[in-house]
């Protein structure tokens, strides 16, 4: 099929009239098509009235109009269909008058002037006037197998034309009736409207449908056909192809399989124009209606941003949202959109097919749009998109599971609290947020996957209080997350039992359960954990249940906190005071007033023997008693908190004051023991110093060692 060179478009003979240029002789003006449907009949002596100013503009190759409504193609269809349905009776009446006028022009022998005379009227009635000055209309010989061609901006046969070009086939319409010409013109005006609404077609946007004969074209076409039947016969020639019996075209046999291949190849090469063959077969009316109800109708209930030609999508390589043109993505019918903070995010439909709960959520919504809950953060939503595209989400849990396996820790159930790493990623916190997304959106696939990850780490290096705050903040926590939190609190490692479960709590474990770690005085999370309990009644209730479970297992009994080994005795080095002798020139205050002692040397030895047999033992006892008292003070606090956790707050404060007084008395006792210990140490040191000085100077045992000092 050859469209001819641009030079052939200059002048086309039709009787004594010429079409294709603006140099037409005019003797007087003609009523505009925007006025009432009036027609001035031909005057005698072969006088022809000139074309109207509207027709002149339609043939002006130098008129520029780059109108682009900035809509996506789905909204372009929805807008026109809704507008016609809202003004159904009035539009039907006006369309009837346009058809009558076309028939009048046919009777007067002005068949080829029909498109120019009715174009603006059709534009106002059917396309809301959006095509005004945006289309260049012309005739040309194109062969008998097409009704015409619609060209995108600047790419029509005439290189001087910068607008959309509609070229009607002179051969196919030579013997056509008025209704055929009206139908063919409306057909190409639908293509032109989609170009005006969505912008010029590009080579990589052919499948978008501007110049195609798919569901978008079909919905507008079927709506106009239905409109035309309101006040008379349906405009039957209006179809995907021009199949009227009054339109002369090559027989069906002309389109052999080989010929079809040639046509399809030529159509692909000419991506910039429509290919309106007589054999075009589009989707059925039922298919079009089903598509319109799924894709276009929901647009009226969504924010205006869904009407724009751009949409956000997930970039797998960069793990972020990016903005892309809808014309280069999959068709809307094969995709879904998540409305996140009133912004659409498009996802291919096949990405959600494996996740039944997500599919059911869209089916329940009855739309291809699904609103994301307002409490879902952007990071969590992006991880959800990553989950749909890859089946997982960051961070990767495998390094943490490998670390637990290296420590011999069972990886079934909640993890064990370990010292926090400086650069540890918050994996469990991420999982909690993802599970909450599943709860908020009804995505069971997401929640179950997150819980599986939370039970597979083995160890927890991140902040456990942040995990609890995330689970219990805002609203009633999910029951599965609460169950996990209780199991986490009572979780204790048991590396000797490979079949360990979180409900099996044994006193033979190497480390205490997570709850005792969090409540320990040495824990860096203790104060924040107690604040979290105070701010959440649900967390307080679950902590009380965990304490009761641990108490039943024996973790809060006094025997549990007693040392299993005898206290370590002080070594000789720790008991040696030779490193702290008295200065030789310093008088011992303990020796003052002892000049009358008959045997100073013997007294020193007796005191030394007495100290080694009594005071050293006493010192050991004081050390052990001090250590036990310190442990008792620490354990008493934990015991008091566990024992009275369920008592009313007023009574609990009273008991707490009593315990604080008791603790103060214990502290006073410890301080007294420390002072007594210091006195014994000082006495021992003085005696050793005296013996050393006496041996150094070699004085007589009966001499006046003490006297010399006097």
């Amino acid at each position: 099929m050859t469209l001819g060179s641009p030079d052939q478009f200059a002048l086309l003979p039709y009787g004594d009239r010429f079409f294709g240029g603006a140099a037409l002789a005019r003797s007087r003006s003609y009523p505009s098509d925007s006025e009432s449907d009036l027609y001035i009949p031909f005057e005698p002596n072969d006088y022809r009235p000139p074309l109207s100013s509207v027709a002149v503009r339609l043939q002006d190759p130098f008129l520029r109009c780059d109108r682009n409504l900035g809509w996506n193609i789905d909204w372009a269809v929805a807008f026109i269909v809704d507008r016609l349905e809202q003004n159904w009776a009035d539009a039907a009446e006006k369309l009837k008058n346009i058809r009558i006028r076309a028939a009048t022009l046919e009777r007067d022998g002005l068949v080829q002037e029909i498109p120019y005379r009715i174009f603006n009227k059709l534009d106002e009635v059917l396309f809301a006037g959006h095509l005004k000055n945006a289309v260049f209309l012309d005739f040309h010989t194109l062969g008998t197998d097409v009704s015409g061609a619609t060209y995108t901006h600047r790419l029509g046969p005439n290189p001087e034309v910068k607008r959309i070009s509609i070229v009607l086939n002179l051969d196919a319409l030579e013997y056509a009736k008025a209704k055929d010409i009206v139908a063919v013109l409306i057909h190409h005006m639908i293509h032109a409207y989609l170009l005006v609404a969505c912008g010029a077609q590009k080579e990589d946007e052919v499948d978008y449908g501007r110049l195609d004969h798919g569901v978008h074209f079909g919905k507008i076409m079927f709506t106009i056909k239905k409109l035309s039947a309101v006040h008379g016969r349906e405009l039957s020639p209006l179809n995907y192809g021009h199949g009227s019996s009054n339109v002369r075209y090559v027989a069906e046999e002309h389109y052999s399989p080989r010929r079809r291949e040639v046509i399809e190849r030529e159509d692909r090469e000419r991506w910039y124009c429509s290919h309106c063959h007589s054999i075009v077969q589009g989707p059925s009316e039922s298919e079009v209606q089903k598509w319109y109800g799924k894709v276009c109708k929901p647009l009226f209930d969504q924010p205006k941003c869904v009407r724009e030609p751009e949409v956000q999508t997930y970039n797998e390589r960069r793990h972020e949202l990016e903005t892309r043109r809808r014309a280069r993505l999959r068709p809307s019918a094969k995709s879904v959109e998540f409305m996140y903070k009133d912004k659409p995010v498009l996802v291919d439909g096949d990405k959600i097919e494996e996740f039944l709960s997500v599919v059911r959520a869209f089916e329940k919504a009855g739309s291809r749009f699904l609103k994301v809950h307002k409490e879902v953060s952007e990071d969590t939503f992006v991880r959800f998109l990553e989950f749909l595209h890859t089946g997982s989400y960051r961070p990767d849990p495998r390094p943490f599971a490998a670390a637990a396996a290296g420590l011999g820790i069972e990886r079934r159930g909640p993890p064990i609290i370990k010292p926090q790493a400086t650069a540890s990623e918050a994996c469990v916190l991420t999982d909690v947020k993802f599970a909450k997304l599943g709860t908020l959106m009804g995505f069971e696939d997401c929640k179950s996957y997150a819980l599986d990850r939370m039970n597979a780490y083995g160890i927890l290096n991140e902040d456990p209080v942040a995990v609890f705050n995330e689970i219990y903040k805002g609203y009633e926590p999910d029951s599965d997350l609460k169950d996990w939190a209780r199991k986490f609190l009572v979780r204790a490692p048991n590396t000797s039992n490979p079949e360990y479960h979180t409900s099996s709590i044994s006193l033979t474990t190497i480390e205490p359960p997570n709850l005792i770690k969090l409540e320990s005085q040495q824990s860096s999370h203790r104060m924040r954990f107690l604040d979290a309990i105070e701010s959440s009644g649900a967390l307080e209730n679950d902590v009380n249940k965990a304490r009761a479970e641990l108490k039943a297992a024996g973790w809060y009994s006094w025997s549990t906190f007693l040392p299993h080994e005898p206290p370590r005795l002080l070594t000789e080095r720790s008991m040696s005071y030779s490193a702290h002798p008295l200065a030789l020139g310093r008088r011992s205050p303990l020796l003052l007033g002892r000049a009358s002692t008959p045997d100073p040397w013997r007294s020193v030895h007796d005191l030394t023997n007495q100290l080694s047999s009594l005071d050293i033992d006493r010192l050991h006892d004081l050390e052990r008693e001090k250590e036990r008292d310190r442990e008792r003070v620490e354990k008493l606090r934990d015991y008091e908190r566990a024992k009275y956790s369920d008592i009313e707050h007023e009574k609990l404060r009273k008991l707490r004051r009593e315990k604080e007084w008791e603790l103060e008395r214990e502290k006073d006792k410890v301080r007294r023991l420390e002072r007594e210990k210091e006195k014994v140490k000082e006495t021992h040191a003085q005696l050793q110093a005296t013996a050393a000085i006496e041996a150094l100077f070699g004085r007589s045992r009966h001499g006046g060692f003490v006297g010399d000092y006097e």
Side-chain angles (χ1 to χ4, degrees):
M1 182 181 66
T2 304
L3 299 182
S5 63
D7 296 337
Q8 295 174 320
F9 281 73
L11 295 176
L12 295 175
Y14 180 70
D16 57 352
R17 301 294 303 276
F18 291 89
F19 300 91
L24 300 174
R26 300 170 180 81
S27 62
R28 58 191 180 89
S29 62
Y30 190 84
S32 172
D33 288 346
S34 62
E35 300 171 3
S36 303
D37 288 329
L38 299 176
Y39 177 68
I40 301 177
F42 289 144
E43 298 180 3
N45 302 322
D46 296 329
Y47 176 78
R48 300 291 189 272
L51 295 176
S52 68
S53 59
V54 174
V56 173
R57 286 196 297 272
L58 286 169
Q59 290 185 302
D60 186 357
F62 303 107
L63 180 64
R64 292 180 178 271
C65 181
D66 297 326
R67 185 177 298 122
N68 182 356
L69 301 180
W71 297 342
N72 64 60
I73 195 168
D74 299 328
W75 174 248
V77 175
F79 170 81
I80 284 298
V81 172
D82 181 70
R83 182 178 180 275
L84 291 176
E85 291 177 347
Q86 295 295 329
N87 303 278
W88 193 254
D90 183 58
E93 182 67 26
K94 290 180 179 179
L95 181 58
K96 173 187 173 183
N97 293 335
I98 293 174
R99 295 176 65 183
I100 293 174
R101 182 179 184 186
T104 303
L105 290 170
E106 178 190 3
R107 288 195 303 270
D108 293 335
L110 299 176
V111 175
Q112 288 186 331
E113 291 191 14
I114 293 176
Y116 297 101
R117 304 298 186 185
I118 68 173
F119 185 91
N120 261 27
K121 273 296 183 180
L122 289 174
D123 179 31
E124 292 174 6
V125 174
L126 302 180
F127 302 101
H130 290 309
L131 301 184
K132 185 176 182 180
N133 297 330
V135 173
F136 173 81
L137 180 61
D138 203 358
F139 278 91
H140 190 60
T141 300
L142 303 177
T144 55
D145 60 341
V146 295
S147 63
T150 303
Y151 296 82
T152 190
H153 306 67
R154 301 172 181 269
L155 295 177
N158 189 342
E160 295 179 347
V161 176
K162 308 304 180 183
R163 296 175 287 167
I164 299 168
S165 296
I166 294 179
V167 178
L168 301 180
N169 186 5
L170 189 63
D171 293 337
L173 301 178
E174 185 176 1
Y175 300 101
K177 292 182 177 294
K179 64 178 182 178
D180 299 320
I181 297 178
V182 172
V184 168
L185 182 60
I186 292 176
H187 178 110
H188 289 279
M189 290 178 73
I190 295 175
H191 289 311
Y193 165 72
L194 295 177
L195 288 171
V196 168
C198 308
Q201 177 161 293
K202 296 179 173 56
E203 189 172 2
D204 57 350
E205 298 178 355
V206 174
D207 294 335
Y208 195 47
R210 298 178 181 92
L211 299 174
D212 198 3
H213 298 91
V215 289
H216 301 91
F217 179 93
K219 179 56 182 177
I220 299 177
M221 182 194 72
F222 284 124
T223 302
I224 295 175
K225 288 185 70 172
K226 185 178 178 181
L227 183 70
S228 68
V230 173
H231 295 299
R233 292 183 180 180
E234 182 183 82
L235 190 59
S236 56
L238 178 59
N239 213 320
Y240 295 109
H242 59 96
S244 172
S245 60
N246 294 321
V247 178
R248 182 166 56 87
Y249 60 92
V250 179
E252 180 66 22
E253 289 77 8
H254 176 72
Y255 294 99
S256 62
R258 186 172 181 179
R259 174 60 178 163
R260 288 176 183 272
E261 293 178 0
V262 174
I263 292 175
E264 291 176 358
R265 184 176 66 253
E266 291 177 350
D267 291 349
R268 287 193 298 270
E269 292 173 355
R270 292 192 299 272
W271 55 267
Y272 47 84
C273 67
S274 66
H275 309 287
C276 306
H277 301 283
S278 59
I279 59 170
V280 173
Q281 297 293 328
S284 66
E285 186 172 4
S286 61
E287 292 174 338
V288 170
Q289 288 298 114
K290 182 178 179 181
W291 165 85
Y292 184 79
K294 175 184 178 182
V295 175
C296 295
K297 275 193 174 181
L299 294 174
F300 295 97
D301 300 325
Q302 303 300 326
K304 291 185 178 181
C305 57
V306 301
R307 309 171 185 177
E308 298 174 357
E310 295 180 338
V311 67
Q312 288 186 310
T313 61
Y314 174 71
N315 187 308
E316 294 185 41
R317 184 172 59 86
R318 295 200 297 265
H319 184 56
E320 64 182 10
L321 293 175
E322 64 178 1
T323 302
R324 297 184 61 187
R325 289 181 58 82
R326 291 179 180 270
R328 297 173 183 174
L329 302 173
R330 296 195 68 182
S332 300
K334 297 181 180 180
S335 62
V336 295
E337 295 185 33
F338 293 93
M339 298 302 300
Y340 180 70
K341 295 183 178 179
D342 291 335
K343 292 291 183 182
V345 180
L346 186 141
V347 176
D348 289 349
D350 55 4
K351 297 297 184 183
I352 68 171
E353 290 179 354
E354 298 180 2
F355 308 101
L356 297 181
S357 60
V358 180
V359 174
R360 285 195 296 268
F362 278 98
E363 292 176 350
K364 184 178 180 181
S367 169
R368 59 182 294 274
F369 296 96
L370 188 64
K371 187 175 182 179
V372 180
H373 199 280
K374 62 181 180 180
E375 294 190 15
V376 177
S377 65
E378 182 174 353
D379 289 341
T380 303
F381 177 63
V382 173
R383 285 189 173 90
F384 168 69
L385 296 176
E386 182 183 13
F387 178 65
L388 294 180
H389 286 76
T390 65
S392 182
Y393 57 84
R394 307 178 192 189
D396 188 354
R398 289 175 292 183
F400 302 92
L407 297 174
I409 297 177
E410 176 65 30
R411 294 189 293 110
R412 287 186 299 174
I416 303 296
I417 295 178
K418 292 294 183 180
Q420 186 172 353
T422 56
S424 177
E425 294 186 271
C427 293
V428 177
L429 181 61
T430 299
D431 294 334
V432 171
K433 294 179 179 179
F434 198 76
K436 290 178 68 175
L437 176 144
T439 301
L440 294 170
M441 300 294 298
F443 298 159
E444 288 297 327
D445 300 88
C446 299
K447 188 175 79 169
S448 61
Y449 182 82
L451 288 171
D452 289 342
R453 282 177 51 130
M454 293 165 65
N455 289 320
Y457 291 109
I459 59 175
L460 180 74
N461 297 121
E462 61 190 274
D463 183 5
V465 179
V467 174
F468 282 112
N469 287 334
E470 184 62 34
I471 292 176
Y472 290 92
K473 76 174 183 180
Y475 53 92
E476 179 61 25
D478 178 74
S479 58
D480 292 329
L481 287 176
K482 290 178 61 179
D483 182 64
W484 182 89
R486 288 193 298 270
K487 291 180 179 179
F488 174 80
L489 290 170
V490 301
R491 178 80 153 103
N494 189 351
T495 57
S496 63
N497 183 7
E499 301 298 330
Y500 175 82
H501 296 281
T502 57
S503 59
S504 304
I505 303 172
S506 172
L507 298 182
T508 62
T509 55
I510 298 176
E511 300 178 25
N514 289 333
L515 177 58
I516 293 180
K517 287 182 180 180
L518 291 171
E519 293 181 330
S520 171
Q521 292 285 349
Q522 287 76 28
S523 173
S524 60
H525 308 295
R526 182 174 182 272
M527 295 306 300
R528 294 174 55 246
F529 180 63
L530 296 178
D531 291 340
I533 294 175
E534 185 176 353
S535 62
S536 173
L539 176 58
E540 182 180 7
N541 185 44
D542 287 339
V543 169
N544 290 337
K545 292 179 180 178
R547 284 174 180 161
E549 188 175 348
L550 293 175
K551 183 178 180 181
W555 278 102
Y556 284 102
S557 62
W558 281 104
S559 60
T560 305
F561 298 105
L562 291 178
H564 298 291
E565 297 180 356
R568 181 176 62 85
L569 297 178
L570 296 176
T571 62
E572 292 183 0
R573 179 169 180 171
S574 64
M575 287 300 299
S576 174
Y577 294 94
S578 60
H580 305 283
L582 294 177
L584 295 180
R586 183 176 178 180
R587 175 181 293 181
S588 172
L590 209 67
L591 300 180
L592 295 177
R594 298 190 58 184
S596 59
T597 303
D599 194 352
W601 183 260
R602 185 176 182 84
S603 298
V604 170
H605 280 281
D606 291 340
L607 287 172
T608 303
N609 292 335
Q610 184 180 8
L611 180 63
S612 59
S613 61
L614 296 176
D615 290 348
I616 293 179
D617 290 340
R618 175 59 177 166
L619 186 62
H620 290 174
D621 292 337
L622 290 174
E623 286 287 344
R624 288 194 296 270
E625 187 174 359
K626 177 184 176 182
E627 188 66 24
R628 285 196 298 269
D629 288 340
R630 184 180 293 108
E631 291 181 1
R632 190 178 297 113
V633 168
E634 295 296 332
K635 306 309 177 186
L636 186 61
R637 293 178 177 175
D638 294 335
Y639 176 76
E640 178 265 343
R641 182 171 54 254
K643 182 176 180 181
Y644 297 103
S645 60
D646 295 328
I647 301 177
E648 299 143 341
H649 293 291
E650 187 64 27
K651 187 175 181 181
L652 185 60
R653 284 196 294 270
K654 181 179 179 181
L655 292 174
R656 186 178 290 112
R657 287 195 297 271
E658 294 177 359
K659 292 298 180 181
E660 289 174 353
W661 295 337
E662 184 177 349
L663 289 174
E664 287 298 324
R665 289 194 295 270
E666 291 290 338
K667 289 180 181 179
D668 291 338
K669 184 176 180 180
V670 171
R671 287 194 289 269
R672 289 196 300 271
L673 290 174
E674 289 179 348
R675 287 195 296 270
E676 189 174 351
K677 173 184 173 181
E678 291 299 325
K679 290 180 181 180
V680 172
K681 287 181 180 179
E682 186 177 1
T683 301
H684 187 203
Q686 289 175 347
L687 291 175
Q688 282 189 336
T690 302
I693 292 172
E694 193 173 27
L696 181 64
F697 289 98
R699 297 299 177 86
S700 173
R701 299 180 63 182
H702 302 285
F705 178 81
V706 177
D708 290 344
Y709 275 81
E710 294 175 350

